[in-house]
Amino acid sequence: MNGLAVFFALGIALCSVSGCSVGPILEKTSNESQVSSVSAGSYKESVIKSSSTVYFAYDKYNLGEESLREARKIAAQMKKNTSLRIRIEGHCDERGTREYNLALGEKRANAISEILILNGVSSRRVNVVSYGEERPVSPGSNETSWSKNRRAVLKIY
Amino acid sequence: MNKFSVRLKILSIFLLLTSEAIFSQLKIEITEGIREPIRIAIVPFSQNSSSTQKFKLHSIITKDLESFGEFEAIKSEDMLSYPSNQEEVFYRDWRLLKVNYLLIGSFEESEKDNEIKVSYNIFDISREKRLYTGLISSQSNSWRKLAHRISDRFYQKINGIPGIFTTRIAYIEEPKLQEEKYHLKVSDIDGENNSLVFSSSQPLMSPDWSPDSKKLAYVSFENGFSQIFIQELASGKRQSIKSSGGINSSPSWSPNGRYIAAVLSKSGNPDIYIYDLNKNSWRQVTDHFGIDTEPTWSSNGKKILFTSNRSGSPQIYELTISNGRIKRKTFEGSYNARGRYLPGGRHIALIHRRKGLFHVAIQNIRNGNLKILTDTFLDESPTISPNGNIIIYATKKNQRGILAGITVNNITKFILPSIMGEVREPAWSPLVN
């Protein structure tokens, strides 16, 4: 394990004890004026009702406290409104090989998916896609960009 | 390093300002080369017809042979004579110019058949010996290819291994702006004949050549998830191969062309599968809860090299297909991925992480000796020339995705900057006669 990962893991551990909010969840967008007219199962960007993003440590796919909380919140929301479905998109930073990152991105998306299913959401309502390092949100080759790109985007529709 | 190498200035490269130039074009710029390349002379070919000098065969051959720094051609204005047949060759002239090998030739064009015929000779000056006489012809619209074939022959006669100037490179061009598209392109190794294979607003990945060089397999997200497609280059005809939920990626064609090894995650985690193109069916060959990915075949089709994190970090493993036996091949460091066999099967090229930086490296898979080849640090997707001499890979320079290359003996380094766009995932075509 490299120093950075150790540092990050330590940070998460400390935070979960002290309750500080090193924010794994940064962005939230809402699109609630859109009305879903699409039949269950299909997905289009235009029908997303809300979307949130959770972040990951380098080369890791375990969820931090904040991410877990977000996943449980979404599970509760989906249990209440049974017409909702979710598409979870897993992403990585640019370091390492593309195909390995594609697999890593899926592990990240699956980590969220597992929490939803554990909390009573049917797997049929959960759709997981990995984009690996193919769709970065921040183009730089530095830790600031990389930390934004290591993410799972949770799109409820 | 500098003791053995010297920075060579790029030779002016004639850029065709045709419509092709609007696509990104790859061209080779040597950044570090051999101090004393082999001196050669490529005499302008004489022509037995009245047509204008539209076929600059000798300049294409010169450019080919100089591209990887192994040869240095003397300028035609420095030549003392311009022979076009054996009787006109005076070895002393060329010895005076310190030339080691000489190529001369002539061509004739038949307007009626739209054909050009070339005869050429290769000489070893120090041994005062003719090494080869060739006679080839082609349609006059494929005269570039004809020049590349002569370059290949020359290279083989001097170096004893096949030349790679008739081979091609497939690569992905990434959009710079969000509204732009991902492009899968193919280009001659000298950057000419750049053609678009497929475009999509969604990511394209992992191009891999069929052994006959006529098709590409690749991954496309055009339907919102990863799918493997096969596309015929000549016709543009494409079809997806049977996909399943989860990842469908990392296609790798078997040497006999019948199978495609790939990664599917339908069982819940990524494993290696083999697709039989005759039977249209998948067969699972690895089964582990970790990540298994990046399969590639040994040249005899009996083994598959792949990356797995089953030991906790990505390492390279080798699967013997017949008995399912899996053996770990890399032990140095905590990130070794995307291995590719070099011809001969004794070495693999791979991506190796050292001190947080990602380099192209070579490892002897028998004794485990690993050697880092590059000083760039975000390297990806090494692809090996079919003669085993050169590795091209994707890396970053000034925040841009570029292709770079290195000779396996670690002497010459070069980059292939494109005029536009970000380029990545180079895939070198096989040798095809």
Side-chain angles (χ1 to χ4, degrees):
Chain A
M1 189 151 42
N2 76 11
L4 195 65
V6 172
F7 178 73
F8 203 96
L10 198 64
I12 286 179
L14 286 175
C15 281
S16 57
V17 174
S18 64
C20 73
S21 62
V22 151
I25 298 159
L26 273 179
E27 293 160 44
K28 255 182 200 217
T29 57
S30 199
N31 207 358
E32 276 158 316
S33 59
Q34 292 272 5
V35 179
S36 171
S37 60
V38 172
S39 62
S42 66
Y43 155 83
K44 282 201 175 87
E45 286 291 323
S46 58
V47 299
I48 300 168
K49 289 188 169 135
S50 69
S51 142
S52 56
T53 306
V54 300
Y55 296 90
F56 293 84
Y58 174 51
D59 210 9
K60 295 279 179 289
Y61 46 85
N62 53 316
L63 300 173
E65 275 305 314
E66 293 267 351
S67 308
L68 274 172
R69 216 172 298 145
E70 176 69 10
R72 289 192 196 110
K73 203 186 82 193
I74 287 173
Q77 189 188 348
M78 289 182 75
K79 270 169 77 180
K80 206 184 288 172
N81 183 347
T82 51
S83 70
L84 293 179
R85 305 175 71 88
I86 189 166
R87 174 178 163 99
I88 308 167
E89 297 175 351
H91 299 271
C92 302
D93 71 35
E94 64 180 346
R95 291 173 293 172
T97 66
R98 290 188 177 266
E99 286 288 352
Y100 188 78
N101 282 338
L102 194 66
L104 184 60
E106 188 180 64
K107 292 276 185 195
R108 286 176 176 166
N110 278 340
I112 300 284
S113 160
E114 277 159 24
I115 299 300
L116 299 184
I117 292 162
L118 272 175
N119 283 276
V121 176
S122 158
S123 62
R124 279 172 302 175
R125 296 166 65 198
V126 182
N127 179 7
V128 163
V129 178
S130 175
Y131 283 104
E133 60 173 289
E134 308 303 313
R135 297 179 88 175
V137 283
S138 183
S141 293
N142 50 58
E143 184 49 39
T144 312
S145 289
W146 291 333
S147 63
K148 288 178 187 158
N149 292 333
R150 293 188 302 261
R151 69 203 193 276
V153 182
L154 285 47
K155 295 177 171 176
I156 297 173
Y157 63 99
Chain B
M1 177 72 67
N2 281 334
K3 194 174 162 194
F4 301 105
S5 60
V6 67
R7 268 162 212 283
L8 295 181
K9 258 269 171 283
I10 175 193
L11 288 164
S12 66
I13 285 165
F14 185 59
L15 243 184
L16 287 174
L17 291 171
T18 61
S19 58
E20 284 172 17
I22 63 164
F23 292 120
S24 72
Q25 208 168 12
L26 304 171
K27 56 186 173 125
I28 295 166
E29 282 181 21
I30 295 177
T31 53
E32 223 170 83
I34 305 167
R35 186 193 286 273
E36 282 178 41
I38 299 171
R39 257 167 93 81
I40 55 173
I42 317 288
V43 180
F45 284 25
S46 74
Q47 58 190 112
N48 308 336
S49 68
S50 57
S51 65
T52 50
Q53 269 282 5
K54 59 179 169 181
F55 307 119
K56 297 193 183 302
L57 295 171
H58 79 280
S59 52
I60 295 181
I61 297 167
T62 301
K63 190 182 146 190
D64 280 349
L65 293 167
E66 287 188 328
S67 34
F68 303 110
E70 293 154 288
F71 297 101
E72 179 189 17
I74 63 166
K75 293 195 186 91
S76 51
E77 54 263 40
D78 294 340
M79 294 174 186
L80 303 172
S81 54
Y82 299 91
S84 63
N85 58 54
Q86 185 165 14
E87 290 72 50
E88 294 166 358
V89 173
F90 296 103
Y91 290 106
R92 210 181 58 164
D93 286 0
W94 303 103
R95 259 201 307 274
L96 276 172
L97 296 166
K98 298 191 162 54
V99 165
N100 303 113
Y101 299 96
L102 169 70
L103 173 70
I104 63 168
S106 63
F107 66 91
E108 53 185 308
E109 184 187 16
S110 153
E111 301 257 347
K112 202 177 75 202
D113 308 325
N114 189 32
E115 191 187 51
I116 47 175
K117 281 184 187 159
V118 184
S119 66
Y120 64 98
N121 289 286
I122 302 166
F123 298 92
D124 180 332
I125 300 302
S126 60
R127 288 158 63 206
E128 301 203 356
K129 196 180 155 204
R130 188 177 64 191
L131 295 178
Y132 187 77
T133 298
L135 186 67
I136 52 173
S137 63
S138 82
Q139 298 293 293
S140 54
N141 61 4
S142 55
W143 60 280
R144 287 191 159 274
K145 198 168 180 185
L146 203 142
H148 294 321
R149 281 169 64 192
I150 298 171
S151 304
D152 277 356
R153 180 64 70 191
F154 186 91
Y155 189 94
Q156 189 201 13
K157 284 293 152 193
I158 311 306
N159 284 346
I161 57 169
I164 37 94
F165 306 105
T166 48
T167 58
R168 313 193 77 196
I169 295 265
Y171 60 97
I172 307 281
E173 194 180 292
E174 211 171 318
K176 267 235 125 152
L177 304 167
Q178 223 161 28
E179 62 270 25
E180 288 172 356
K181 292 190 162 185
Y182 293 80
H183 300 298
L184 169 60
K185 292 180 173 179
V186 167
S187 140
D188 285 358
I189 196 70
D190 64 356
E192 301 293 336
N193 282 327
N194 190 311
S195 63
L196 183 63
V197 179
F198 187 68
S199 284
S200 172
S201 58
Q202 300 299 313
L204 299 173
M205 284 179 78
S206 307
D208 188 64
W209 291 86
S210 64
D212 63 4
S213 278
K214 290 182 177 156
K215 295 173 193 162
L216 283 176
Y218 58 92
V219 174
S220 170
F221 282 80
E222 66 200 67
N223 294 318
F225 53 96
S226 56
Q227 272 177 296
I228 297 168
F229 284 81
I230 292 175
Q231 184 164 342
E232 269 178 30
L233 294 177
S235 66
K237 213 175 84 188
R238 63 196 292 273
Q239 64 177 103
S240 67
I241 64 176
K242 205 157 74 182
S243 16
S244 48
I247 291 173
N248 296 263
S249 76
S250 211
S252 170
W253 233 296
S254 71
N256 65 8
R258 177 169 170 180
Y259 305 101
I260 287 180
V263 173
L264 305 181
S265 65
K266 60 179 179 179
S267 65
N269 64 284
D271 284 310
I272 312 292
Y273 289 71
I274 293 175
Y275 187 75
D276 185 329
L277 289 157
N278 292 356
K279 294 181 181 160
N280 294 321
S281 62
W282 288 102
R283 176 162 75 96
Q284 185 170 359
V285 292
T286 72
D287 186 5
H288 192 276
F289 58 83
I291 293 169
D292 289 348
T293 187
E294 301 172 338
T296 186
W297 300 76
S298 63
S299 60
N300 63 9
K302 291 182 174 164
K303 290 177 176 179
I304 287 178
L305 206 61
F306 66 100
T307 308
S308 176
N309 71 345
R310 57 186 62 201
S311 63
S313 67
Q315 297 292 342
I316 292 170
Y317 293 77
E318 187 175 59
L319 161 75
T320 304
I321 299 170
S322 60
N323 60 17
R325 224 179 90 211
I326 289 169
K327 215 172 159 190
R328 182 169 165 179
K329 288 291 172 185
T330 52
F331 294 92
E332 194 173 325
S334 60
Y335 199 112
N336 292 297
R338 204 179 175 286
R340 288 287 186 272
Y341 292 100
L342 265 71
R346 193 173 299 178
H347 294 86
I348 56 172
L350 66 150
I351 294 296
H352 173 78
R353 183 178 66 195
R354 181 168 291 177
K355 294 180 183 158
L357 307 179
F358 293 82
H359 300 288
V360 176
I362 275 203
Q363 187 186 303
N364 180 320
I365 52 172
R366 300 208 183 138
N367 65 20
N369 281 350
L370 182 128
K371 189 171 92 183
I372 291 178
L373 296 183
T374 58
D375 45 25
T376 40
F377 53 86
L378 276 169
D379 302 347
E380 285 191 305
S381 314
T383 182
I384 301 157
S385 65
N387 65 6
N389 245 10
I390 300 157
I391 296 173
I392 287 179
Y393 60 98
T395 190
K396 284 223 164 177
K397 193 187 178 189
N398 304 328
Q399 302 275 339
R400 271 187 64 181
I402 63 156
L403 303 185
I406 189 158
T407 50
V408 170
N409 60 20
N410 209 1
I411 288 178
T412 306
K413 291 178 178 166
F414 58 93
I415 52 173
L416 298 97
S418 79
I419 292 166
M420 291 167 68
E422 305 245 333
V423 284
R424 56 179 170 81
E425 292 198 89
W428 211 312
S429 79
L431 275 182
V432 176
N433 294 321

